[in-house]
Amino acid sequence: MTTQAKVKPSFEAIAWRAMRYSGILLIPLAWFHVYLQDVIVGVHAIDIDYVALRLDMVAWVVYDMALLAFAFAHGMYGLRQVSFEFIHGERARRNVSLLILGLWLVVSLIGAVALIGGARPELISH
Amino acid sequence: MASSVSPIKTTAAGYVGYQGREGHYAFLLHRLTGLGTLLFLLIHILDTSTVYFFPALYEHAIALYRSTPFMLGEIGLVFAVVYHGVNGLRIAVTDLWMPKRWAIQTQRKAVWTTLVISVILWAPAALWMLYNMLLHNHGINILPFIGTH
Ligand code: HEM
């Protein structure tokens, strides 16, 4: 029998689990997205009217929002982990973490605003 | 950091020089596909956001994605997302529910299994994307029994 002291899990330990659970979630979420848009529909059939049609449906906005939240957070946290293998100083690690956090927040916000706002093909003057 | 050894050089040398066979190659490929997909995702979030912020720019972005070099990149991207997912599932399931299976012999086989599954899932998609690329960009139909659509 092993006895384990109960300690409050650290941020790194929670993130370690989150990487694994979010990864499992991303299999249906990311694969379906990529196969649908890039393989079945294909880039030659995608234009702004197609995007507008899609983002008029609440279900797709919710789906894309989940993808944006989980895939980008998973990837940016992974980037932090990789960078920590090259950067060992405490201050440097803090700076890199803040940089990645900032980039993640800004790009996520841009993506979220666009998803909620939807496509605006009516603004294109021909 | 008081060390005189550069951690960047040490880490990079370890990636290249470590002779860990299957497990090491899977680690490198997982990392490469993860970072590659992330780079694509970052660009993709920003270019898709133009539909709201600068709608006139979107058609330029999509024209770029339709070009042959980009379509070849997309075929590679599909492999990256598929392989990273299959291999990530191996890591997640073993870590969370069967850590006893972290034995080198077991994992050597599992690494090959992930590669085979990835290629099986990727190949039909790759063929279809190649068909579309050659048809739309070069007027070549490599699947004549399907016709043009
Ligand atoms: C398709 C489903 C996915 C699964 C099952 C998955 C699984 C995983 C797992 C388990 C790890 C942790 C490795 C570790 O901590 O040792 C990881 C790392 C990572 N993932 Fe994913 N992931 C998926 C999708 C994605 C996507 C869409 C991206 C891109 C945005 C991504 C980017 C990364 C990066 C950059 C890392 C860090 C690489 C490393 O530690 O070597 N992943 N993934």
Side-chain angles (χ1 to χ4, degrees), chain A residues 68-86:
Chain A
L68 174 66
F70 285 101
F72 198 49
H74 173 105
M76 290 302 266
Y77 187 80
L79 178 64
R80 176 181 178 269
Q81 289 307 99
V82 175
S83 71
F84 274 25
E85 279 185 24
F86 293 91

Side-chain angles (χ1 to χ4, degrees), chain A residues 20 35 43 46 85 120, chain B residues 11 15 31 52 66 95 121:
Chain A
R20 278 140 188 84
Y35 274 85
V43 278
I46 295 176
E85 279 185 24
R120 299 190 289 177
Chain B
T11 306
Y15 285 1
R31 185 148 281 193
Y52 175 75
R66 288 177 186 171
D95 266 345
L121 291 174

